[in-house]
Amino acid sequence: MPGTERQATLVGAILAQRGRHRPGLVGEGFTRSHDEVFRAACARAALVTALLADRRRRHPDVRPHVGLLLDNTPEYVYWLQACALAGATAVGINPTRRGPDLRRDIQHTDCALVVTEAARRPLLDGLGLPMPVLDSDSPDYSALLADHLDAAAPALPPAPETRILLTFTSGSTGAPKAVICSQRRLARAGEKLCQMFGLTAEDTGYACMPLFHGNATMALWAPMLLAGGTVALRRSFSASHFLDDVRRYRAGYFTYVGRAVSYVLATDPRPDDAESPLRLGFGTEAGAVDADRFQRRFGCRLVEGYGSSEGGCNLRQDPAAPPGAVGRAGSGPGDDLAVVDPETGAECPRSRFDATGRLVNGAEAIGELVNRTARAGFEGYWRNPEAGAARTRDGWYWTGDLFHRDAEGWFRFAGRSADWLRVDSENLAVADIENILGRWDAAEAVAVYAVPDPVAGDQVMAAVQLRPGHSAGPADAPALAAALAEFLAAQPDLGTKMPPRFVRFVRTMPATATHKTAKAELRAARWSLSGDLVLWRPYGAARATSAGYRPLTAQDVEKLHARFAEHGRTELLSPER
């Protein structure tokens, strides 16, 4: 029966792997039994304990943090379980970060040790990190492990409140914040999904999303561990290998973000697409159009969720949800959700729609989603009490996301706060991108803001006012495109999701009466051809090459708007949005 092999705690689930010889971890060229995964985790738990013994003696009350700069490999899973056993904290390091930003992430989270691999090791070169770095592909690493291969699990398992994860998320300002996640919270998240989806030891979950993100760690690894099932790893997401992988590993469950779903749908259809073991996908931002296409093509239902790495707010899914609805609030403790005016805290009126389904009272109905049960599942940010206090001000948990709620209680997502954006399901801080673009010697002023993506989430758009002596007429477009691309390619701290999709060259940066950049005006203009030169990278083009950027044309705008219509997102193009 479902749940018979489930354990109440993460450590209990890990200990239950001992002696089980069914596949626990499979992937590109490897198969590991549950017992092999357990023994590998014990060896690494012993290794981290030995390596940091002196530190632990000097600071007996400080739990060690282990940075994981790894792709989806067995080592990542081994170390997740090793940290759980040893009472250490795994820090998911985002490999799209670069240079000083990457160094900051590692040092801010007080990593006492970093584990990486040959493919990612060059990212750390020149950073001058003060802590040991273990390359899991090196002979030295194998030699270190050799002394611990027969290690047993720790005699005293860590308490459920022990911190197991620090997961980075970008907020509205400044550098990314590290969200604290205890073993108790992670176990509860895994158990909830096990129960919701009926996951058992017979199931295989396909982990094609990166394990440094909560999507894969909280919504796939944790529930499969609690269910006693099998995790199938893909080193990095591949749309072309998706169907072959789920067939090869007999995967019935996977997690996703909206952009990944659109990439899979863009692959060439096969006559046997629906002949797949997949029965369920769980994730965010796929959109109703793509979810329907995915189910019709692959015979697999996608269940959209709303939540955050912080854990302060979650919406319950229901197959009866109307189109465009994210979900309803649950009925258990910590589920007192409301949409409120962020200025007054008053609850917004319920949203109303006309006969065509268009929202008719958005100005009054849209507000910020809050949880009036303070903190709920939120356990704080690492070394950032100010940000934690802002999340839980006035006794409520504030999501920073805009929603509206209809008369039947369905919540619909309406956007995000002005100073942050979400690309491919990753939050990016506007300030970080502006600081980088501000280095361009041709730029007098820069503003970065979110514009809607035709499929899911946002795209990065920038407005640039050029310095005197530079012009941005039609004849200047090729040279500007090449100069911009050359500049972006030379920035060591430019993450892979940061380069703008659209760049508008303005004669004068619009300003408010208080001399702040009028971003609302820029967001309203988006990519309209109002006399300014707008460069863009067409979808599928290289991120930062001279061939990637080219002038946006009226025909391009028509095709872009057609994509919004195709995906049922034309409401995002209204002047009010």
Side-chain angles (χ1 to χ4, degrees), residues 446-499:
V446 172
V448 173
Y449 45 99
V451 294
D453 181 88
V455 177
D458 306 318
Q459 287 292 333
V460 180
M461 186 163 186
V464 176
Q465 178 183 329
L466 294 172
R467 293 185 183 278
H470 296 269
S471 58
D476 304 303
L480 278 175
L484 175 62
E486 181 180 1
F487 164 78
L488 292 175
Q491 306 312 302
D493 52 348
L494 185 73
T496 58
K497 300 184 188 303
M498 288 181 172

Side-chain angles (χ1 to χ4, degrees), residues 506-527:
V506 297
R507 294 176 178 84
T508 302
M509 193 68 69
T512 66
T514 56
H515 306 290
K516 294 182 179 180
T517 301
K519 287 190 177 180
E521 181 179 333
L522 293 169
R523 284 193 295 270
R526 296 191 186 95
W527 45 75

Side-chain angles (χ1 to χ4, degrees), residues 250-541:
R250 303 299 301 166
Y253 174 72
F254 78 108
T255 58
Y256 65 83
V257 295
R259 180 59 58 190
V261 169
S262 68
Y263 289 152
V264 173
L265 288 170
T267 60
D268 293 334
R270 308 180 193 175
D272 61 350
D273 277 343
E275 298 174 13
S276 162
L278 277 182
R279 64 180 179 88
L280 183 69
F282 177 66
T284 60
E285 299 183 353
V289 172
D290 276 356
D292 180 64
R293 289 176 176 172
F294 197 92
Q295 183 164 3
R296 285 189 284 108
R297 178 172 167 182
F298 298 105
C300 174
R301 180 169 67 98
L302 299 186
V303 177
E304 284 280 299
Y306 172 80
S308 64
S309 298
E310 289 91 341
C313 178
N314 291 280
L315 291 173
R316 175 173 56 85
Q317 297 308 300
D318 189 326
V326 176
R328 279 175 165 151
S331 57
D335 287 324
D336 185 13
L337 306 186
V339 176
V340 304
D341 183 324
E343 296 295 327
T344 66
E347 189 164 355
C348 296
R350 299 298 176 99
S351 50
R352 295 181 284 106
F353 306 86
D354 63 17
T356 66
R358 183 178 66 87
L359 178 64
V360 297
N361 66 332
E364 63 174 4
I366 295 174
E368 186 168 349
L369 181 65
V370 301
N371 191 336
R372 292 178 292 200
T373 300
R375 300 186 75 88
F378 179 50
E379 297 177 320
Y381 296 114
W382 181 254
R383 288 178 53 192
N384 199 338
E386 296 83 4
R391 279 288 187 194
T392 56
R393 65 186 186 274
D394 301 323
W396 293 354
Y397 176 84
W398 297 75
T399 67
D401 287 339
L402 302 177
F403 274 77
H404 54 92
R405 187 184 193 183
D406 67 21
E408 286 71 44
W410 296 106
F411 289 88
R412 289 172 170 84
F413 179 68
R416 291 180 168 82
S417 60
D419 288 332
W420 59 299
L421 47 84
R422 191 170 176 86
V423 178
D424 292 350
S425 291
E426 283 197 24
N427 296 335
L428 301 177
V430 163
D432 293 343
I433 306 173
E434 286 180 340
N435 289 338
I436 293 173
L437 285 175
R439 303 170 191 159
W440 191 20
D441 58 8
E444 177 76 17
V446 172
V448 173
Y449 45 99
V451 294
D453 181 88
V455 177
D458 306 318
Q459 287 292 333
V460 180
M461 186 163 186
V464 176
Q465 178 183 329
L466 294 172
R467 293 185 183 278
H470 296 269
S471 58
D476 304 303
L480 278 175
L484 175 62
E486 181 180 1
F487 164 78
L488 292 175
Q491 306 312 302
D493 52 348
L494 185 73
T496 58
K497 300 184 188 303
M498 288 181 172
R501 175 72 64 181
F502 303 91
V503 181
R504 177 182 294 278
F505 291 89
V506 297
R507 294 176 178 84
T508 302
M509 193 68 69
T512 66
T514 56
H515 306 290
K516 294 182 179 180
T517 301
K519 287 190 177 180
E521 181 179 333
L522 293 169
R523 284 193 295 270
R526 296 191 186 95
W527 45 75
S528 64
L529 301 177
S530 55
D532 297 328
L533 171 67
V534 177
L535 297 178
W536 80 310
R537 290 181 294 106
Y539 290 89

Side-chain angles (χ1 to χ4, degrees), residues 30-261:
F30 62 85
T31 299
R32 304 285 186 271
S33 70
H34 285 282
D35 186 69
E36 288 174 317
V37 174
F38 168 74
R39 294 183 183 281
C42 289
R44 285 151 183 79
L47 174 60
V48 71
T49 300
L51 288 176
L52 302 179
D54 288 342
R55 184 178 184 274
R56 192 64 182 269
R57 280 191 290 270
R58 286 183 280 109
H59 306 284
D61 297 326
V62 178
R63 298 285 184 178
H65 291 187
V66 180
L68 302 180
L69 183 60
L70 297 161
D71 288 337
N72 284 11
T73 63
E75 284 292 334
Y76 209 121
V77 176
Y78 299 160
W79 276 99
L80 284 174
Q81 297 191 183
C83 288
L85 291 171
T89 302
V91 181
I93 305 298
N94 186 341
T96 69
R97 302 271 283 174
R98 296 291 187 273
D101 287 342
L102 181 59
R103 176 188 171 91
R104 177 263 170 198
D105 290 351
I106 294 170
Q107 292 194 301
H108 170 74
T109 49
D110 297 320
C111 290
L113 177 70
V114 175
V115 182
T116 188
E117 57 184 314
R120 296 299 184 184
R121 184 65 179 83
L123 295 178
L124 303 176
D125 291 345
L127 298 188
L129 296 175
M131 72 288 295
V133 175
L134 302 183
D135 181 345
S136 62
D137 292 320
S138 72
D140 291 344
Y141 180 75
S142 298
L144 286 172
L145 274 177
D147 293 334
H148 305 284
L149 294 181
D150 295 324
L156 294 175
E161 62 269 20
T162 304
R163 191 170 54 250
I164 174 64
L165 286 176
L166 291 181
T167 302
F168 281 106
T169 180
S170 294
S172 60
T173 60
K177 298 180 286 292
V179 179
I180 297 170
C181 180
S182 68
Q183 293 207 32
R184 175 184 287 116
R185 181 187 155 206
L186 192 55
R188 285 176 175 173
E191 181 67 13
K192 179 180 179 180
L193 291 176
C194 283
Q195 294 177 357
M196 183 184 301
F197 300 136
L199 299 175
T200 74
E202 302 298 319
D203 285 305
T204 295
Y206 179 49
C208 55
M209 297 290 98
L211 284 166
F212 70 78
H213 194 273
N215 174 287
T217 307
M218 298 181 184
L220 193 134
W221 174 69
M224 296 313 301
L225 177 65
L226 271 290
T230 303
V231 172
L233 292 177
R234 160 61 61 174
R235 174 178 279 272
S236 58
F237 174 75
S238 169
S240 61
H241 288 92
F242 178 85
L243 190 57
D244 291 337
D245 280 350
V246 298
R247 285 173 171 164
R248 178 181 302 113
Y249 306 127
R250 303 299 301 166
Y253 174 72
F254 78 108
T255 58
Y256 65 83
V257 295
R259 180 59 58 190
V261 169

